[in-house]
Amino acid sequence: MRRVSRLGLGIALLAAVALLAACGEEEELDVVEGEPVELGELSFNVQLTRFLNPDDPEDEAYLRGQPLPSADQQYLAVFMTVDNEGDEPADLPSTMTIRDTRDNTYKPLDSGSVYALELGTTLPAGDELPRPDTPAATGPIRGAMVLFRVDRAVTENRPIELEIPSASTGGEQARVELDI
């Protein structure tokens, strides 16, 4: 009888360990820049975040078509890769949000840059953005850009997070702490 009880206890213990291990496999939706985050079949990885200078010739291609920001604002570019790891096409979210610690929010700008990530588009199964052999994929950062115009005070209200809503899973949202 004692042997059966120990066996039953051992089986129960192994089942509990397996259950806890499976819980650890749940996808993390709060990450830091440089760590991938999965929303449905899409995997987003923020490569780099940096302020862009309209007076710098190096940043001209990123800011194509953008007006000069006001004295109290600046451009913030978030460069990322997106992979569709599924077997079906997947929709990219139509928007993303930057949020600072004072709960100020900023929406992406429409961009005519060849480096821009086209929000709201559909990514075929197994495909990636930026697409190979494009300026965004072969450029120095190797990521597609989401451009924001933010208040200059945003640097005082850190950490700043990029919120990425899922276009397919109801209400799910990822948060990436940006490194600026």
Side-chain angles (χ1 to χ4, degrees):
M1 183 77 165
R2 187 178 253 184
R3 180 175 227 164
V4 172
S5 297
R6 285 185 184 168
L7 180 61
L9 181 61
I11 291 171
L13 185 59
L14 285 173
V17 168
L19 182 61
L20 287 174
C23 290
E25 291 177 19
E26 185 175 312
E27 294 301 322
E28 179 67 42
L29 294 177
D30 291 329
V31 299
V32 297
E33 186 172 312
E35 291 180 3
V37 63
E38 293 184 18
L39 282 172
E41 298 298 328
L42 295 177
S43 176
F44 297 85
N45 192 344
V46 174
Q47 308 288 17
L48 179 74
T49 303
R50 75 175 185 90
F51 291 103
L52 300 178
N53 181 350
D55 296 324
D56 185 345
E58 183 180 322
D59 289 346
E60 184 179 333
Y62 299 125
L63 293 171
R64 186 160 318 273
Q66 298 299 325
L68 289 175
S70 64
D72 62 338
Q73 292 185 320
Q74 57 191 338
Y75 288 108
L76 181 65
V78 179
F79 296 90
M80 67 181 69
T81 59
V82 183
D83 293 309
N84 181 350
E85 299 173 346
D87 297 327
E88 299 291 327
D91 294 330
L92 270 65
S94 59
T95 191
M96 295 180 182
T97 305
I98 296 270
R99 183 178 305 274
D100 69 17
T101 57
R102 295 194 179 217
D103 215 26
N104 297 313
T105 58
Y106 306 92
K107 294 294 183 187
L109 301 171
D110 289 332
S111 176
S113 172
V114 295
Y115 296 94
L117 178 67
E118 294 182 40
L119 295 173
T121 59
T122 299
L123 188 59
D127 209 351
E128 63 186 295
L129 294 173
R131 289 199 165 81
D133 299 325
T134 63
T138 59
I141 298 173
R142 298 184 183 195
M145 176 189 70
V146 182
L147 184 64
F148 298 87
R149 188 172 39 242
V150 299
D151 294 335
R152 287 196 181 273
V154 79
T155 58
E156 299 169 15
N157 304 329
R158 293 182 293 182
I160 299 167
E161 291 183 334
L162 175 68
E163 298 173 344
I164 307 170
S166 173
S168 61
T169 55
E172 197 171 47
Q173 176 173 280
R175 283 180 292 283
V176 181
E177 185 177 317
L178 302 177
D179 183 20
I180 60 166

